[in-house]
Structure formats: structure tokens, C-alpha cells
Amino acid sequence: MEHIIENLRQFWQFTGFANFEIGYLIMIIIGCLFIFLAIKFEWEPMLLVPIGFGILIGNIPLFAGLNVGVYEEGSVLNILYQGVQRGFYPPLIFLGIGAMTDFSALIANPKLLLIGAAAQFGIFGAYAISLALGFDAAQAGAIGIIGGADGPTAIFLSSRLAPTLMGAIAVSAYSYMALVPVIQPPIMRLLTTKKERLIHMKPPRPVSPTEKKLFPIIGFLLTAFIVPSGIPLLGMLFFGNLLKESGVTKRLANTASGPLVDIVTILIGVTVGASTQASQFLRWESVKIFIIGACSFVIATFAGVLFVKFFNLFLKEGNKINPLIGNSGVSAVPDAARVSNNVGLEYDPKNYLLMHAMGPNVAGVIGSAVAAGMLLGFLG
Amino acid sequence: MKHLKLFLAVVGLTLCFTAGAQSQDAMRLNEYLVINTDDFQDDFGQQNAWIELFNSSYGTVDIAGCFLSDDPDNLKKYAIPGGDVLTKIKPRQHVIFWADNQPYRGTFHVSFDLAGAKEIIFTKGDGKTIIDRIPVKHDLGENVSFGRAEDGIGSVDGSGEGWNVQPRTSPSTNNALIDKAAKPDRMKAIDPYGWILALTAMSVVFLALILLYFIFKAIGNANIKAGKKRSAAAAGTDVKASAYGETPGEVYAAIAMAMHLYQQDDEGHDEESFVVTLHHTDRTYSPWSSKIYTLRQTPSLNKRR
């Protein structure tokens, strides 16, 4: 009998109830909130559902030494987490993004590239704020990349510069990407006049298949020569796009943009979520990261919209750009472009901006990858 | 045949670039000791003169096939043998060669000594290109070495610039202690508010995208011109009169009508109850996707209006 009681006592020690702390409960509530937002409002469900459930997985109170936790070397979760830690999931996701992105809008109107560059001010604004709040330069660089509004880039860079902050940075980046429809419209309305919002842009010209094939090759060579540290992201992005546009690798493009990106999205989402263990995540630093993340999105939106207004000063009547597409320079594809379109339709139901906004939106992906390469070069 | 030539040209170019990628040019003579009585010992427990080489690059360099010599008229005096993994020198690492004139003792024992040597010469695998050379000083005294003040930095032409008498010997390690703060700390010290990095990085981001802009502007213009020519040739009309590059208004009218209909509640059939919408599903067969093995369908979200 004593033996059975002793075993039961040991069993109790292994349970989550015996190891419970209030921090775990808070994180479980956050995880459930993510799942709720994804299902109820369809806010980035492909990301928030895996991350939300990952948070639940990572916050079951564990008896140390069971070798099941994400931070316990050799555990299954730890092995899956290597893709995040060593940074090989993000380039695979970029491969998929490249294979599913149509750069036609950008090729047809290449000046939209510059909007994608301007919106990267969000990254460096957040970097400056992070330094002011006491983070060291490497941590500040990793936090700053939240302003690029690009989850894989944020994970890639933070795994290199500040692995201990990666959970908070990734969750912050994905959360604000989901909140793009909430954060951006008030800023867009604030910075534009009614006349500007009604600007109708010229329809883009048709883009030839040759141009589409050349874009990934030239785009990669140019950006990689300038910022070689961005090669993992840029290389896979443009390679994926070449698979799509070459016309002779349909099966590979389908795999990259379908099953492969889905598998990696599941793995990255769950493991990033699981890495937010209460002991690692519930810190004052995480709160600061969330505040800086919000600022970075605001700065990026400000910079994008104001840049278009500035750019319009040099453009002839009839060639002007609707500043409502300035917000889409952040690379939350395609949500930011959708926001441009929806706000534009509020003021003129016939003014469809989606196609124009996709230009700066995909330019933002390139711009944030280049910016990440710069940060890695300076701080890595 | 044409394709084969093209293929060979591409392969040739690729090989040229990869051959240069891990360059032996990055190797440097870094330090040497002529009279060794109480200094570093070799694997045989003997104290002999030694020569230190340093890989100044950030990639691994294989020095197999390179030559060490003390004679400008015979650059191939000692060929560093291949087939030894130890000849692959890791980034920013050192390697010691014993100048004991006993090459049968292993890869790192050369076939000359420094007692009568005038200079030490390190030559590339072609046996002609001198990568680095340094005159040998014989007035150094016992256990006093001569080396670069900072590893890998200084002359490679034998002038001795950047070399000095070392305060202590440092075989297989850095000549000068590296006492530098980590990169991010240095960055924060130089740029405490982040403005320098912000301006620099934003300039690079803009530069990259501006270059892309110019390139694709040029390609686009060339494409439009070519298209105009083609369409004019096909229609037999004047180039300037054709309107290539402008989508016909009917296309926009059709797209606008489709979007308008889609936005109307009564026209959006896709999520309406009791309306069957047939979608073509293209599924490659695999045991994993077979209906036989599917217990139930994946639930989908149905919105009710």
C-alpha cells in the first residue's frame, strides 16, 4: 500500500497541477485569446492558430527533466525548434512566398519600389527606441525588425542577434501583422486629404513573361551583391519566384507554394508559440518589446504614407500615386495592400487600389530582407 | 553543340569563381623564431626554428600544394603535401611549420632550416606566384621571435612593414591580444541613439531598390518599344499610332462588373446556403490522400448571413 501511495505521490509531482504557477495561466489565456481571434475574426488564422496552440503546448507546467519541453535538449519539441533557433525555417517560408508572389504590379510600375524602401523607417525607428529603452545594440536590431512586418525575417534575425528575445519578438511581429487592419487606417486617414484619397491611379501596363523571368534573377543578383548577409532570405525569395515564373518548374513551384510552405508554417508557428514559456516570456522586456513593436508599425505607416505625399510633389498630374497605398510598404503581404484597398473604397467605391498596393507590398518584403541583412552585417 | 558550348562556358566560369572563393592568397607568414632553445617543442620533443602561417580570411583555406622556401631561386623547396586534413586552415587560425630540415617527420616539418636562410617565401600552388615573403633576421637572440604587430596585417613584399620583434613568442596563437569589445557594443558606443545605423542602412535599402527601379524601368521601356514594333508590324500601321501597353477599356469594364457583382450581397453565391457551387478539384492520387483512408471530411467554416 505504501508503495502505491509513494508512486501516486511521485505521479502527482509530475503533473501540471503540482508544478502550476500563475505565469503559466496567463500564457494559457494569451494562447486561447490568439486562437479565439483567429477563429472568430479570421485575423491571420494560419499563424495565430498554430502560435496560439503552441503557447498552450509550451505552457503546460512541467517537472524539469522529463525531456519534453522545448528548451530541453534532445526533446522532440527541441528538435523541431532547431529550425527556428538555427534559422532554417524562415528561408523556406520565403521560398514559398516567392513562389506565390506575383511581382507584376511592381515590374509594371517600378517606382512603387521606393515606397517599400521608405516604410523600412519603421525598423530603424524601433531600433532607436529600443536603444533609448536600454536594450543593447544587437537586441535593439532584433526588436527593430518587427517594424518590417515580416514574421520569418523577424524570426531569422532575432535567432541570430538576440535568441533569448525571439519568442517575444516573433509573437509581437505576428500579432501586429494581424492587427494591421486596426493600426493603419487611422494613420492613413490622419495623414491624407480627401482629395488625395480620391486619386485614381493609371492601370498598370501588361508585363511580359520575359520581364517576369528576369525580375528574380536581376533582383537577387543586385540585392545579394549589395547585402550578402541577406542571401538566405533574398536567395530563397527570388528563387521561389523564378520557379513560379520560369514556366518549366510548375511542380516545384506548386510544392514550394503549397505543401512545403504549409508544413514549415505549421512547424514555425507551433514551435515559436511553444518557446513562449512563462518563465521566458513574462518579463518586463517582453512588455517593452510589445510597446516598441506597436511604435514600429506606426512609424512604418507614417513613413510610407508621407513618402508617397513627398513623391507626388515631383510627379505630373495624372501620374500621381494615391497616398493610401503608402501603408502597404510594410511587408505584411497581402493584408497591408488589402487595407489600402478597403480604405480607398470607403471614399470612392470605384477606386480599387489593391493591384497598385501590391507593388509596394512586395517591395516591402525585399526591403525588409535587405534591412535585415544590413542589421546582421552591422550587429551580427 | 551550341548548347553544349554554352553549358561548358557556364561550368568553366563557375569553376573559375569557386576556385577563387577559398583563396590561398589570404594566407600570411605571421611570425618566425630562428633560435629555439627554450621555446615551443614539436611532437618529437625537440626545439627547432618554426614559421607560423595565419589565415587572414573568414573562410577555410586549404594550403595543400602550396610551397615554403628559403631560396628565391627555388620557390618549390618544400611542397606542402595533400591528403592531410590538417592543411585546411580554419578562418583566422594559425599553423606552425618546423624549420628543422626533417620533412620525413610529417606534413609540418619543412625541408630547410632557418640557420642560414635569407628569407622565408610562401608560394601559391602554381609554384610561381609568391603570396608572402619576409627576410630572416639573425640578430634576434635566443627564443626571440619576429612577427606581425597585428595578425595578418602588414607587408607581403618582404619590406617588413608591420613586422617587429615580438615581446614574447606566440606560436599558434595571436601575436597581439585581441581586446576589442563585441561588435554590437562597439556599435552602441559609436552610435548611442541609432541614427548613424538608421541613415546608413536606409541609404543601402534605398540604393538597392533605386537600382532595381532603374533596371526595370529600362527593361520595361525596351519591352514596350519592342511590343509597339511587333504590334505595328502585325497590323501594318505606324508605330506611334499603336496603343501597345494600354489594356482595352472592355477588360476593365468586365473586371469592374465582376467585382461589383461579387460585392453585391444577392450576387455573391459562394457562401450562400442552398446554392450548389461546383469547384473543380485537382488531386493527385496518393494513399495519403485517398478517400478510402479518410475517416471524415475536414470541417470548413460556414458563415451564415
Side-chain angles (χ1 to χ4, degrees), chain A residues 78-117:
Chain A
N78 181 262
I79 291 167
L80 296 177
Y81 188 54
Q82 295 299 310
V84 177
Q85 266 189 321
R86 294 178 184 267
F88 57 79
Y89 288 156
L92 289 175
I93 289 197
F94 260 59
L95 179 73
I97 293 172
M100 64 175 87
T101 303
D102 185 356
F103 285 100
S104 301
L106 200 61
I107 302 167
N109 194 359
K111 63 175 174 276
L112 300 180
L113 275 162
L114 303 181
I115 305 173

Side-chain angles (χ1 to χ4, degrees), chain B residues 194-215:
Chain B
W195 301 121
I196 298 172
L197 177 63
L199 284 175
T200 316
M202 280 307 290
S203 307
V204 173
V205 173
F206 265 102
L207 173 73
L209 296 183
I210 285 171
L211 284 173
L212 264 184
Y213 161 72
F214 280 120
I215 291 171

Side-chain angles (χ1 to χ4, degrees), chain A residues 340-355:
Chain A
S340 306
N341 191 52
N342 292 344
V343 178
L345 288 175
E346 278 176 28
Y347 293 94
D348 181 353
K350 291 176 186 167
N351 196 5
Y352 291 97
L353 293 172
L354 186 64
M355 194 150 185

Side-chain angles (χ1 to χ4, degrees), chain B residues 66-77:
Chain B
C66 291
F67 299 92
L68 273 167
S69 177
D70 61 346
D71 181 1
D73 298 323
N74 180 13
L75 295 177
K76 296 183 179 179
K77 199 158 187 179

Side-chain angles (χ1 to χ4, degrees), chain B residues 270-287:
Chain B
D270 286 338
E271 291 169 348
E272 198 172 339
S273 305
F274 309 117
V275 175
V276 177
T277 307
L278 295 176
H279 289 292
H280 172 70
T281 310
D282 193 8
R283 219 174 257 160
T284 316
Y285 175 79
S286 137

